[in-house]
Amino acid sequence: MSDMTSNAILALDNVSKVFGRADKPVYAARSVSFALHPGRTLALVGESGSGKTTAARLIMREYVPDEGRLLFKGAPMGKADAKALKAYRSAVQMVFQDPFAALNPTHTIRYHLERPLRLHQPDLDAAQRKAAIVELLERVKLDPAQMMPKFPHELSGGQRQRISIARALAVNPQVIVADEPTSMLDVSVRQGILNLLNDMKAELKLALLYITHDIATARYVADDIMVMYAGQIVEWGAVDKVLDDPHHPYTRLLLSAVPDPDRRFDDVRFADELSRIDEIRTQSALPQTQISQVGDNHFFRALPA
Amino acid sequence: MSQPVLSVRNLNIDYVGAEGDFHAVKNVSFDIAPGEFFGLAGESGCGKSTIAFAISRLHRPPALIRTGSVIAVNGRNVLELDDADLRRFRWREVAMVFQSAMNSLNPVLTIEAQFYDVLKAHGPISRAAARERAAELLKLVDIAPDRLDAFPHQCSGGMRQRIVIAICLALNPKLLIMDEPTTALDVVVQREILQRIDVLRKKLGFSVLFITHDLGLMVQVSDRIGIMLEGELVEVNDAQTIYRQPQHAYTKRLWASMPKLRGEQTRLEAAP
């Protein structure tokens, strides 16, 4: 994926993260490489346990890579000092899956948005901070006067997720990692959040990593997509190319299992893959080092022969 | 049409509160035919789970089913059963797979013991015969009989979910209620489980009441679908018709808010 790392704001370069005992290692991430670009959304899809959240934690520097490097604006992030770490934290923000757990129930919305401003922009006076909070709430399409004095329990799930997004935006980030931001919301609310993420990306030139197991929403928001299985990215490229012409057996299996109102159960896209679920899982979990290119911006890992 | 397995008529359910009642289910009527896969869709809070619980009379105060409501299973009004009848009725006529059912197994009992629990509660059966029956049931859901001696934590989430379904089928129920049975599972496992259910209901002839908020999945598996909005059943039709020619404005907005897997991608507006 070397061509993807040019002008990237953030990149993982051949990163592995191993858990478990030395004689029985579990690769939560195996030779993972990808790059995030300003104004582009990259979707990371895969089943639970495939390593999606490990990738997010590596980016958030909650995990230190066992192999490989994390590159920020082209420079490797090693053991950064406190100041560099703070700068990184304000550049890279996260929106979590559960909007009910991500906010502190004992604090008002105003407090939630004021705190990152106090910490990361200490020069602002009280009036400037308030103006910034109003702007943030307007940006996420909430009524500032109404919202500021409220507590999280007074808000709907969709509103809380908007607050989480506003909080992430408070520190003027360049990268947002959104880990399943809509999976706990109803379909009708989901759309509003996805549109908001799309608008933020375009208006603020954000680089967005959208982590999900919902392929349809990935297609809706993303420019590029990566499919992860057992710690490896098995296929990646432009979202329409990967979804229309999947090459890795696991991608095919995943796509044939995605709920699709246009196909009844007996009308199957990749029937063969669906009849070999266990075999494909076993094979796809093996290390796959050989990368094949399908076309411009479309790659997959070849299964070992 | 033969007699429906389930016939719900004028079902009204209130959640009784000190400051007035919340009318959660409003005059809902629908039928499920033998062998039919019926989907009930709607957003959280629309009353779909309240209906599911009421059918097996598992609703608890403050939920109150109003007089005049009828829930008939094979022609018998469930709301009039006494405790002894109710005990016989549950599992044997209607079995329910709960949301996060994979966590409803007892962590300190083996799988075999949990099958035995259900089987012995509903008729005299020897431990050996129960084990044999349990092995048969596990085979139905594609699980090797050697798993009988395993504990729940030794099985994956998808496997636990299938075990719960197998236990639900132990007494050959006429109706299987599944309330968001696969929400916590990934799509490949979800597909495996629902495909298995689809095969089994054709083979064993039971009906399914399927509750989900995944509309794509619902259209894919259901014969007929009912759409709920704020306690009311606003539209019922066969799955393809309700997908391709929705009549109610809310149904139309629901489909419109669903991102598509192929074809033109347009900006979708949220259903208000």
Side-chain angles (χ1 to χ4, degrees):
Chain A
M1 279 187 232
S2 54
D3 60 316
M4 280 173 74
T5 46
S6 56
N7 80 48
I9 173 123
L10 191 82
L12 291 184
D13 177 26
N14 238 341
V15 167
S16 296
K17 179 72 197 167
V18 189
F19 294 104
R21 301 198 308 259
D23 59 326
K24 212 178 145 194
V26 176
Y27 278 79
R30 190 196 288 272
S31 304
V32 168
S33 298
F34 61 83
L36 298 171
H37 300 269
R40 279 184 86 79
T41 300
L42 174 62
L44 176 55
V45 302
E47 62 180 47
S48 34
S50 62
K52 306 188 296 283
T53 299
T54 299
R57 290 195 168 152
L58 284 161
I59 290 178
M60 299 316 292
R61 298 175 54 94
E62 275 180 56
Y63 292 158
V64 179
D66 292 317
E67 287 162 37
R69 299 178 304 167
L70 171 66
L71 302 168
F72 181 55
K73 295 181 178 166
M77 292 292 289
K79 284 200 180 67
D81 57 65
K83 202 176 153 203
L85 205 56
K86 193 171 170 186
Y88 183 82
R89 290 254 156 84
S90 78
V92 183
Q93 280 288 311
M94 184 144 183
V95 175
F96 296 93
Q97 175 173 17
D98 186 351
F100 299 86
L103 303 176
N104 186 331
T106 64
H107 286 299
T108 61
I109 299 312
R110 178 176 183 158
Y111 177 89
H112 279 93
L113 298 179
E114 194 157 27
R115 201 166 155 73
L117 291 170
R118 270 180 194 277
L119 291 173
H120 288 272
Q121 297 178 55
D123 307 336
L124 298 184
D125 64 29
Q128 286 171 315
R129 267 203 306 276
K130 185 168 182 212
I133 294 171
V134 168
E135 196 194 316
L136 282 168
L137 286 169
E138 280 170 351
R139 207 171 249 299
V140 296
K141 315 249 168 17
L142 293 174
D143 181 344
Q146 210 181 56
M147 279 297 151
M148 276 197 282
K150 288 202 176 186
F151 286 90
H153 74 266
E154 298 176 89
L155 272 54
S156 71
Q159 287 172 327
R160 286 182 227 205
Q161 202 56 295
R162 284 174 194 268
I163 297 296
S164 302
I165 293 170
R167 181 175 57 181
L169 295 175
V171 298
N172 294 320
Q174 292 160 290
V175 177
I176 287 192
V177 177
D179 190 356
E180 303 264 18
T182 61
S183 66
M184 296 187 68
L185 304 175
D186 274 317
V187 266
S188 60
V189 181
R190 189 174 299 180
Q191 221 46 54
I193 299 293
L194 294 176
N195 285 340
L196 181 65
L197 286 172
N198 256 350
D199 295 344
M200 296 301 100
K201 172 196 78 171
E203 286 166 24
L204 305 171
K205 288 272 167 277
L206 290 171
L208 193 63
L209 178 65
Y210 176 65
I211 299 178
T212 186
H213 59 252
D214 183 343
I215 313 273
T217 63
R219 179 169 184 255
Y220 184 70
V221 298
D223 304 290
D224 301 303
I225 191 168
M226 307 182 281
V227 179
M228 197 164 191
Y229 185 76
Q232 287 179 107
I233 294 172
V234 294
E235 185 157 359
W236 64 95
V239 69
D240 283 331
K241 289 182 184 169
V242 172
L243 297 186
D244 292 345
D245 185 24
H247 274 63
H248 195 281
Y250 180 74
T251 316
R252 289 164 170 257
L253 172 61
L254 185 65
L255 291 179
S256 59
V258 170
D260 183 347
D262 291 318
R263 284 175 215 273
R264 297 287 294 175
F265 258 28
D266 35 23
D267 167 21
V268 176
R269 195 168 165 207
F270 300 107
D272 179 47
E273 274 76 6
L274 219 43
S275 66
R276 295 190 297 127
I277 292 178
D278 291 329
E279 185 191 337
I280 290 173
R281 283 202 181 113
T282 311
Q283 285 183 334
S284 305
L286 299 171
Q288 295 141 66
T289 47
Q290 200 202 322
I291 293 170
S292 306
Q293 181 159 16
V294 182
D296 184 34
N297 195 12
H298 184 182
F299 304 81
F300 71 103
R301 285 178 190 269
L303 284 181
Chain B
M1 199 168 95
S2 54
Q3 187 190 23
V5 169
L6 174 71
S7 178
V8 174
R9 285 288 171 278
N10 306 320
L11 181 61
N12 281 287
I13 305 176
D14 288 350
Y15 284 99
V16 180
E19 290 164 26
D21 302 345
F22 179 74
H23 202 171
V25 176
K26 299 168 189 162
N27 246 334
V28 166
S29 300
F30 65 94
D31 287 343
I32 300 182
E36 187 175 41
F37 206 118
F38 186 88
L40 200 54
E43 293 180 43
S44 27
C46 73
K48 52 192 196 308
S49 292
T50 303
I51 293 179
F53 277 82
I55 291 170
S56 357
R57 288 245 321 256
L58 287 169
H59 66 289
R60 290 205 190 121
L64 182 71
I65 299 179
R66 290 293 173 194
T67 34
S69 307
V70 177
I71 297 174
V73 172
N74 293 318
R76 205 154 54 127
N77 191 353
V78 178
L79 302 177
E80 289 165 358
L81 298 180
D82 61 28
D83 284 356
D85 283 340
L86 197 57
R87 205 160 44 240
R88 279 190 291 273
F89 157 82
R90 288 181 185 145
W91 295 91
R92 196 177 285 286
E93 294 192 49
V94 174
M96 186 158 171
V97 180
F98 297 95
Q99 200 168 0
S100 70
M102 54 191 194
N103 301 325
S104 63
L105 292 169
N106 187 331
V108 297
L109 292 181
T110 62
I111 304 302
E112 187 264 343
Q114 313 204 29
F115 273 99
Y116 182 56
D117 251 3
V118 174
L119 290 167
K120 80 160 187 258
H122 287 268
I125 189 165
S126 72
R127 190 94 191 200
R131 192 183 169 89
E132 207 169 297
R133 175 84 180 118
E136 266 173 43
L137 289 161
L138 280 189
K139 264 187 243 158
L140 283 181
V141 292
D142 268 337
I143 293 176
D146 60 12
R147 285 280 165 174
L148 279 174
D149 298 314
F151 286 91
H153 75 269
Q154 294 167 312
C155 306
S156 69
M159 211 181 260
R160 290 204 299 271
Q161 191 73 300
R162 279 183 284 160
I163 290 168
V164 172
I165 290 167
I167 295 176
C168 281
L169 297 177
L171 299 168
N172 289 320
K174 308 293 174 295
L175 174 67
L176 185 64
I177 301 175
M178 299 198 294
D179 187 3
E180 305 265 9
T182 52
T183 308
L185 304 168
D186 61 79
V187 288
V188 176
V189 179
Q190 167 176 288
R191 173 75 188 213
E192 272 182 299
I193 290 176
L194 287 174
Q195 196 142 341
R196 200 69 217 154
I197 294 275
D198 196 39
V199 169
L200 287 174
R201 64 124 179 176
K202 282 169 186 155
K203 188 166 143 192
L204 305 175
F206 58 85
S207 312
V208 179
L209 172 61
F210 181 51
I211 294 176
T212 183
H213 60 253
D214 189 331
L215 300 165
L217 181 66
M218 179 157 278
V219 173
Q220 207 172 12
V221 298
S222 303
D223 299 318
R224 281 193 311 141
I225 291 177
I227 304 280
M228 288 196 65
L229 171 65
E230 291 169 3
E232 282 179 73
L233 191 60
V234 294
E235 186 168 0
V236 181
N237 217 329
D238 68 80
Q240 285 304 311
T241 310
I242 217 164
Y243 176 53
R244 290 179 203 285
Q245 289 122 31
Q247 300 300 312
H248 195 277
Y250 177 69
T251 318
K252 287 178 190 167
R253 286 205 305 272
L254 274 182
W255 299 140
S257 68
M258 222 170 79
K260 295 191 173 36
L261 281 164
R262 66 183 78 80
E264 275 297 284
Q265 189 79 268
T266 47
R267 185 178 170 104
L268 306 169
E269 292 311 326

